[in-house]
Amino acid sequence: MNKVMLVFGTRPEAIKMCPLVNELKSRTDEFETVVTVTGQHREMLDQVLRVFNVIPDYDLAIMKQGQTLFDVTSEVLQNLKTVLEKEGPDVVLVHGDTTTSFAAALACFYLQIPVGHVEAGLRTHDIYSPWPEEFNRQAVDIVSEYYFAPTEASKKNLLEEGKDKTKIWVTGNSGIDALRTTVRDGYSHPELEWASDSRLILITAHRRENLGEPMHRMFRAIRCVMEEHPDTKAIYPIHMNPKVRRAAHEELDGFSRLHIIDPLEVLDFHNFLAASYLILTDSGGIQEEAPSLGKPVLVMRDTTERPEGVSAGTLKLVGTEEDVIYHEFSRLLSDPCEYDAMSHSSNPYGDGYASKRIADVLARH
Ligand code: UD1
Ligand code: UDP
């Protein structure tokens, strides 16, 4: 039997790994499944574990306020060594591009344990954008033995780097597996009731390279446009990073049509996405979820590793300059043709059965 360890530590990794944990755990005759969380996030990770009923076997509990990339990398590397040596897994699965994933893959490399990369092959080809994620994902792919690419485009990126084609499987994105189970008709929430008389704008922002002045510019542009459109209300479930919170409160406090609320549980957030008119974000995962719900997204970043959603027409890169965000956001609110062009639903990231495909590959190898 295969002993499979999954290692993850932040909210987006958990949302995309928990469906896979549950798939592997349901196949007890094929896999022994061990879940190790690094706790790079705390509250935002625990929210997801609760929703998917996943109880970790190991929790490295590394998060501290104001943690640096040095802190996260060294804590994960050191603490995971003990767990890996004790468990001796046949394969370790890591996800995407976080520092948890990079450090976990490095720990496996040092111990010569095979790594499977879930969501392999995403690229911007700009090592500083997003930072440090582009480095993390490339580094994980250097040491991986199994590549679970979400799309043909991500497979192509891996092939162009000379990765062995017999080790790449196109599976779809397991984030869509989660989405398949969360969005429901008849969902209600007091915040959605509050916004029901208006066009709902959903906002998230957290990227490290946007902290500081870019984030201030983003918030100023959003507020300015909303002040000119009285038929809009915004909900902003805010990341727990104190730097994000400070910038948001400085720019957005006192504007009653914009509610800043705590992070939502994933089931709630997906239903908020489904109820929204449009989304402003610098998030990665939301760029994958919104196209299947047919929701236009203005991506407040200079690059994206998710070109499929841009090609599908649902995503538009608007950068972080105040005047560009102001212009694009205003246009989407004022121009029905532009809005219609961006609100077709499409499914470039899979059919919601990525976890099963990944488990099938692991069972065969
Ligand atoms: C991390 C990932 C990023 C991912 C993001 C998802 C890295 C380098 N960054 O960035 O790729 O897009 O998660 O959200 O791996 N905090 C809490 N409680 C929580 C979570 C965070 O208090 O549950 C606060 C802490 O003060 C922490 C800070 O947020 O120090 C930053 O967290 P960190 O994981 O270092 O960076 P993120 O920006 O969340
Ligand atoms: N999300 C959530 N609650 C929120 C905001 C986002 O559950 O309040 C989900 C969202 O649906 C997506 C994921 O968190 O699946 C994205 O996480 P984040 O933006 O923190 O990280 P990224 O995807 O940018 O790495």
Side-chain angles (χ1 to χ4, degrees):
M1 191 182 349
N2 285 315
K3 186 171 193 173
V4 182
M5 183 186 287
L6 300 94
V7 181
F8 53 93
T10 66
R11 169 173 69 188
E13 291 164 82
I15 290 170
K16 294 166 171 182
M17 289 293 253
C18 283
L20 179 55
V21 169
N22 288 332
E23 174 72 22
L24 293 169
K25 284 203 166 192
S26 72
R27 294 163 65 160
T28 44
D29 50 336
E30 294 171 285
F31 303 108
E32 184 185 345
T33 307
V34 181
V35 177
T36 299
V37 296
T38 64
Q40 177 179 337
H41 283 175
R42 188 70 280 160
E43 299 87 342
M44 288 162 56
L45 171 70
D46 293 343
Q47 272 186 327
V48 183
L49 296 174
R50 261 196 312 276
V51 168
F52 288 93
N53 293 314
V54 169
I55 299 166
D57 300 287
Y58 297 92
D59 186 341
L60 308 181
I62 65 153
M63 197 196 88
K64 57 184 185 201
Q65 295 303 324
Q67 63 197 8
T68 65
L69 298 175
F70 294 87
D71 297 326
V72 178
T73 306
S74 55
E75 290 284 318
V76 172
L77 198 57
Q78 284 293 351
N79 288 301
L80 198 56
K81 175 173 179 282
T82 324
V83 177
L84 290 171
E85 284 173 340
K86 177 163 174 245
E87 288 290 336
D90 296 308
V91 62
V92 170
L93 302 181
V94 301
H95 181 275
D97 55 21
T98 67
T99 296
T100 279
S101 306
F102 161 63
L106 186 59
C108 292
F109 175 67
Y110 287 164
L111 293 172
Q112 301 196 13
I113 297 169
V115 173
H117 191 191
V118 180
E119 201 179 84
L122 276 64
R123 295 289 183 270
T124 64
H125 302 291
D126 175 350
I127 209 81
Y128 282 102
S129 178
W131 177 78
E133 289 83 2
E134 178 68 10
F135 164 79
N136 288 343
R137 58 171 84 105
Q138 290 196 26
V140 174
D141 282 334
I142 289 174
V143 302
S144 288
E145 183 67 23
Y146 304 94
Y147 301 97
F148 300 109
T151 66
E152 289 295 335
S154 41
K155 176 178 178 180
K156 189 161 165 274
N157 289 334
L158 293 165
L159 292 174
E160 281 170 2
E161 290 172 7
K163 305 291 191 291
D164 179 346
K165 69 172 184 299
T166 64
K167 296 178 173 177
I168 306 171
W169 293 269
V170 176
T171 59
N173 195 305
S174 58
I176 306 300
D177 299 18
L179 194 62
R180 201 166 51 82
T181 64
T182 47
V183 177
R184 331 200 145 148
D185 289 339
Y187 173 87
S188 70
H189 187 285
E191 288 293 338
L192 291 186
E193 294 295 314
W194 166 75
S196 61
D197 59 354
S198 302
R199 292 190 282 179
L200 171 62
I201 315 300
L202 196 58
I203 303 166
T204 81
H206 70 82
R207 296 241 81 81
R208 261 185 166 72
E209 70 271 21
N210 287 344
L211 294 174
E213 194 44 37
M215 214 164 262
H216 282 271
R217 295 198 296 262
M218 282 155 43
F219 296 145
R220 281 200 295 269
I222 291 170
R223 180 171 184 155
C224 193
V225 173
M226 287 193 61
E227 279 169 347
E228 292 170 6
H229 289 84
D231 66 333
T232 56
K233 282 184 178 168
I235 299 176
Y236 177 4
I238 196 165
H239 193 286
M240 296 196 72
N241 189 337
K243 291 181 185 162
V244 176
R245 294 191 163 210
R246 209 172 307 121
H249 285 295
E250 277 172 29
E251 299 293 347
L252 301 170
D253 276 0
F255 181 49
S256 64
R257 280 189 288 111
L258 189 153
H259 280 184
I260 297 178
I261 62 172
D262 279 332
L264 288 164
E265 290 209 342
V266 61
L267 187 143
D268 296 303
F269 189 77
H270 285 173
N271 284 284
F272 275 50
L273 276 180
S276 67
Y277 185 74
L278 69 88
I279 299 138
L280 287 145
T281 190
D282 64 7
S283 160
I286 294 168
Q287 294 178 54
E288 292 152 355
E289 293 161 347
S292 46
L293 297 168
K295 300 298 174 178
V297 183
L298 297 179
V299 182
M300 299 182 291
R301 294 171 46 177
D302 296 323
T303 59
T304 183
E305 56 295 280
R306 283 140 172 124
E308 299 88 349
V310 178
S311 306
T314 334
L315 311 181
K316 190 173 216 178
L317 277 182
V318 297
T320 61
E321 292 303 327
E322 195 170 338
D323 55 338
V324 180
I325 298 173
Y326 171 85
H327 177 76
E328 294 292 346
F329 185 19
S330 301
R331 192 147 82 104
L332 207 44
L333 287 175
S334 315
D335 180 347
C337 294
E338 171 80 2
Y339 184 83
D340 285 347
M342 286 185 73
S343 48
H344 294 302
S345 73
S346 70
N347 227 340
Y349 300 107
D351 58 2
Y353 293 92
S355 303
K356 182 178 178 313
R357 289 191 190 94
I358 294 169
D360 288 347
V361 170
L362 293 171
R364 282 202 304 275
H365 291 76

